[in-house]
Each structure stands twice: as C-alpha cells, then as structure tokens.
Amino acid sequence: MTTVTTTRGRAPHAGQRVHATGAALGTAPVAMILLHGRGATARDILMLAGAFEREDVSYLAPQAAGHQWYPLRFVEPTARNEPALSAALAVVDDLVADVAAAGVPPERTVVLGFSQGACLATEYAARRPRRYGGIVGLSGGLIGSDAEVTAHAGDLAGTPVILGCSDVDSHIPLTRVKATSKVLAGLGADVDETIYPGMGHGIVEDEVRRVRALLDALARTA
C-alpha cells in the first residue's frame, strides 16, 4: 500500500497535510485529487467523496497553506498571484506524479476543484495538457487576465472536462466560464459545460451526478 501524507514542492504550500479516503493507493484502479476553495479545508472537499458512491476510488485532498491557493481573485494577472499560484500548481503536479507512481496513471486520475480549487484544476489542465481521467471545475475557470487565458497550447487528447456554474455567481464571471470551455475544447478536451440559472456559489446534485457518471465510466475501463 502506498501513502501520500504531505505535499511536496515549494513554499508556501509544501509540507501541508494530504487527507485521503476511499480505496488505498496501490489497490485503487481510479484516483481523484480534490482541491478545496478559498477559506475552506481539504476535509471539507473530501466530504464530496461519499456522494460519488465509488469506494473503489482513491481520493486525495491537499490542504492549501493559509486556506487559500493564491491571494487575489483568479481574474487578476497571474503575476499578482505569485509565488503562491506556481506553488499550488506544483502541488497538483506532484500529486498526479505520486498517484502515477502508485499505479494509477493520469489517464485514470480525475482532478476536481470547487471555486478557487476549480480555478486551480482547470489552470493545471491548461498548463499541463495531456490525457487525464477527467478535469472537473465546479464554479471556477482559468486563471489570469483575459489575454492570458487564451495563451495555452498543447493537447488534452479527449480528456473529459466537466464544468458547472451559476449564471449569476458573484465570484465567477459567466464570461470566464465560457472562455474556459472554449480554451479547453480548443486544446482537445471533451467539454461538458452546464450553466445553472439562479444557482448560488455552491455544488448541486446534478453536478454530483455528472461526476459520478465520469467515475463509473473510468472504473468500467480500468
């Protein structure tokens, strides 16, 4: 059995606790990395695992230093959120590598985030394009200025991407969600975007159902 208990990488996020539930690494056919939002905790986002009803999946949730992955709004130029942003992306990259070393390749690893975590998940996919088991952005979008979000290149090779957001989310501009869909689709992802009228800044059952279906499909092919 393989265990991952702390984050690697660089300050400020190196050495933070990685919480886990579900199947043990080394035995699971599918893994999910869950990224919490600003002001929340890894334990908070890990509670989603029970709703996915897949005990054979290994769920890992790293804690951000100071309960935030980067200090400013995600639509600010990326330089203004450094060095925390690069450190946060390194945490995700190292965890994907750790999971692969334990026997679950990126093609069967899902990176899911909510709010600031969703921004980090989609940004990670755009900066490290390759085939993943899935990328899930719940109430989030690509990080940076409008010019920066379009400046990505590479091939996500058909990676399933689930995006969900309110049309009136006070934290997430709808235009950024639409731009994220367009950019990730342009990188070769299979994007499933749903905009929920009047929904607040949260997670709804339909999003849980879509993620559960993604995990079910991955498990069938593992």
Side-chain angles (χ1 to χ4, degrees):
M1 183 178 72
T2 303
T3 58
V4 178
T5 57
T6 57
T7 58
R8 297 190 282 129
R10 68 195 79 159
H13 300 304
Q16 298 294 310
R17 175 83 180 274
V18 177
H19 296 261
T21 192
L25 274 179
T27 64
V30 175
M32 175 180 280
I33 296 168
L34 300 101
L35 305 171
H36 66 78
R38 185 193 303 273
T41 69
R43 287 187 181 278
D44 293 336
I45 193 80
L46 202 58
M47 292 177 65
L48 271 177
F52 298 144
E53 302 176 350
R54 296 275 348 173
E55 295 182 355
D56 54 345
V57 173
S58 183
Y59 301 94
L60 300 172
Q63 178 64 48
H67 303 279
Q68 63 180 13
W69 294 109
Y70 45 86
L72 302 178
R73 290 195 70 208
F74 76 112
V75 294
E76 296 286 340
T78 55
R80 297 194 63 196
N81 275 310
E82 296 293 8
L85 174 58
S86 289
L89 290 165
V91 165
V92 182
D93 204 34
D94 288 338
L95 275 178
V96 169
D98 289 341
V99 168
V104 184
E107 294 86 349
R108 285 190 276 114
T109 298
V110 176
V111 181
L112 175 150
F114 169 69
S115 192
Q116 193 179 63
C119 300
L120 189 60
T122 53
E123 183 70 15
Y124 174 74
R127 293 199 190 195
R128 305 284 191 276
R130 58 158 300 153
R131 172 73 191 205
Y132 296 98
I135 301 295
V136 181
L138 305 177
S139 300
L142 288 168
I143 297 170
S145 65
D146 290 343
E148 287 175 311
V149 300
T150 61
H152 295 287
D155 189 1
L156 283 163
T159 293
V161 172
I162 295 174
L163 299 177
C165 195
S166 169
D167 61 340
V168 290
D169 192 311
S170 59
H171 301 283
I172 312 297
L174 183 58
T175 53
R176 181 55 60 93
V177 180
K178 294 292 184 182
T180 299
S181 292
K182 184 176 181 180
V183 169
L184 296 181
L187 293 174
D190 181 10
V191 179
D192 170 14
E193 174 206 286
T194 301
I195 304 300
Y196 299 94
M199 185 182 83
H201 189 65
I203 299 171
V204 296
E205 177 56 32
D206 184 65
E207 292 173 310
V208 171
R209 178 192 60 76
R210 292 157 65 204
V211 176
R212 187 185 302 135
L214 171 64
L215 292 176
D216 289 346
L218 283 173
R220 282 195 298 271
T221 58

